[in-house]
Amino acid sequence: MKPDLEDQAASAEGPWEECFELAVQLALRAGQIIRKALSEEKQVSTKTSAADLVTETDHLVEDLIISEMQKRFPSHRFIAEEAAAAGAKCVLTPSPTWIIDPIDGTCNFVHRFPTVAVSIGFAVNQEVRDPRRPGPCPSGPGAPVQLEFGVIYHCTEERLYTGRRGRGAFCNGQRLQVSGETDLSKALVLTEIGPKRDPATLKLFLSNMERLLHAKAHGVRVIGSSTLALCLLASGAADAYYQFGLHCWDLAAATVIIREAGGIVMDTSGGPLDLMSCRVVAAGTREMATLIAQALQTINYGRDDEK
């Protein structure tokens, strides 16, 4: 089924309607570029590790999205994966800020494995983190953190996931609803490996997976795209997700979609979500999210806003 742009854009009434509509249009345009490039030869480079890949299409899509947004909204700010890799700071301010992953699942894209997506999140009224005060920025009800909407486009399956704060989450016009599962022994859990592959990190990663399997989770899955894994959670196809090494551009759009589908997104410590912390637990219920968080050992990836 192809995305019904009119239906989803119509649900975007409010102060950020024009921004939402532009995000949908650009995600669909980017998806066309990615679908075409998927079967073509690629120029592949590495970033932080041999498993952290980037292609010319990542740069092309990111440049397209940002340039079109700057034309329409010249006062807005941007956080984008490839710009950050080139040294741009990941800074959230009170200004409207676009948080962009041009291709989530670049390793999949390189290998022509079709689980790839474009992710565009939008934040406003973000409290600036005070480095003198440890811990995450305040989040949740009543806090100044406002992720207004998220748009994620599964390029090969032409599935458009959208969520807007207070207005629900949808896939191709169909409302999304998370699983209500609270029992870890009945759960399907999703995760991603992350780019660090040193022996100590791999040991912790495998140990976390082993802990969940010992708790008799039905299964643990890795699909190579964190944003699409989180969308599967929002749709009720999985019960929980966790990851260390997840960046703000992987998480911003998906957080809105999961919350609007009735789910929970929080820190692996069990506290409120900190978008810059490079760690997350998400689930359909708070009970499930808490069980997952309690089972995990921390893998330190630092913070996006301190790199």
Side-chain angles (χ1 to χ4, degrees):
M1 180 189 298
K2 292 187 177 181
D4 190 332
L5 176 57
E6 292 184 0
D7 285 350
Q8 294 192 75
S11 70
E13 298 174 359
W16 306 111
E17 178 178 0
E18 187 179 356
C19 296
F20 176 84
E21 290 178 349
L22 180 62
V24 169
Q25 293 165 9
L26 290 174
L28 296 175
R29 283 179 61 186
Q32 292 178 336
I33 294 170
I34 293 166
R35 274 199 305 276
K36 180 177 183 296
L38 192 66
S39 61
E40 298 173 347
E41 291 299 318
K42 303 170 184 68
Q43 298 177 11
V44 183
S45 304
T46 60
K47 295 187 287 187
T48 62
S49 75
D52 190 7
L53 306 180
V54 63
T55 71
E56 72 277 15
T57 307
D58 292 82
H59 291 290
L60 174 65
V61 169
E62 183 169 299
D63 292 345
L64 166 69
I65 292 172
I66 293 177
S67 65
E68 291 297 317
M69 288 175 173
Q70 285 177 327
K71 290 177 187 176
R72 190 84 65 89
F73 305 107
S75 66
H76 288 191
R77 300 174 65 92
F78 300 88
I79 296 173
E81 180 177 11
E82 305 315 329
K89 299 294 185 182
C90 297
V91 179
L92 284 168
T93 74
S95 299
T97 303
W98 301 86
I99 307 172
I100 301 158
D101 191 345
I103 301 180
D104 182 52
T106 298
C107 185
N108 288 350
F109 174 70
V110 167
H111 290 276
R112 302 181 184 180
F113 191 81
T115 311
V116 294
V118 181
S119 179
I120 302 172
F122 185 74
V124 298
N125 299 327
Q126 171 69 48
E127 180 173 285
V128 179
R129 180 176 179 268
D130 184 347
R132 298 168 297 179
R133 299 177 61 187
C137 294
S139 186
V145 175
Q146 295 290 358
L147 287 166
E148 283 291 333
F149 64 75
V151 174
I152 296 173
Y153 184 43
H154 188 334
C155 308
T156 57
E157 292 192 4
E158 299 185 70
R159 293 182 181 272
L160 181 68
Y161 295 90
T162 62
R164 188 165 185 203
R165 188 171 62 87
R167 299 182 183 275
F170 301 87
C171 177
N172 290 357
Q174 300 297 309
R175 186 176 288 273
L176 299 177
Q177 179 64 47
V178 295
S179 159
E181 186 58 65
T182 60
D183 186 346
L184 182 54
S185 70
K186 297 178 181 178
L188 181 65
V189 183
L190 305 179
T191 189
E192 292 297 331
I193 300 172
K196 289 170 66 174
R197 304 295 169 84
D198 60 277
T201 298
L202 287 176
K203 184 176 181 180
L204 284 171
F205 172 80
L206 295 171
S207 175
N208 282 335
M209 188 177 289
E210 186 177 20
R211 285 165 177 248
L212 295 174
L213 294 174
H214 278 311
K216 302 189 185 305
H218 279 173
V220 179
R221 300 285 185 267
V222 176
I223 67 169
S225 167
S226 54
T227 60
L228 291 178
L230 290 161
C231 286
L232 288 171
L233 171 64
S235 71
D239 304 292
Y241 177 93
Y242 71 93
Q243 189 181 346
F244 297 95
L246 190 73
H247 296 287
C248 58
W249 47 80
D250 300 305
L251 189 55
T255 293
V256 185
I257 293 168
I258 290 170
R259 286 174 174 169
E260 289 302 311
I264 300 296
V265 187
M266 68 184 196
D267 189 80
T268 55
S269 67
L273 174 69
D274 180 351
L275 195 64
M276 294 290 174
S277 70
C278 295
R279 60 192 197 187
V280 69
V281 172
T285 63
R286 185 169 294 278
E287 294 89 341
M288 179 66 71
T290 300
L291 288 171
I292 297 290
Q294 290 172 343
L296 298 176
Q297 299 177 92
T298 298
I299 304 174
N300 184 18
Y301 271 84
R303 297 180 57 85
D304 281 333
D305 55 3
E306 293 178 350
K307 295 174 182 175

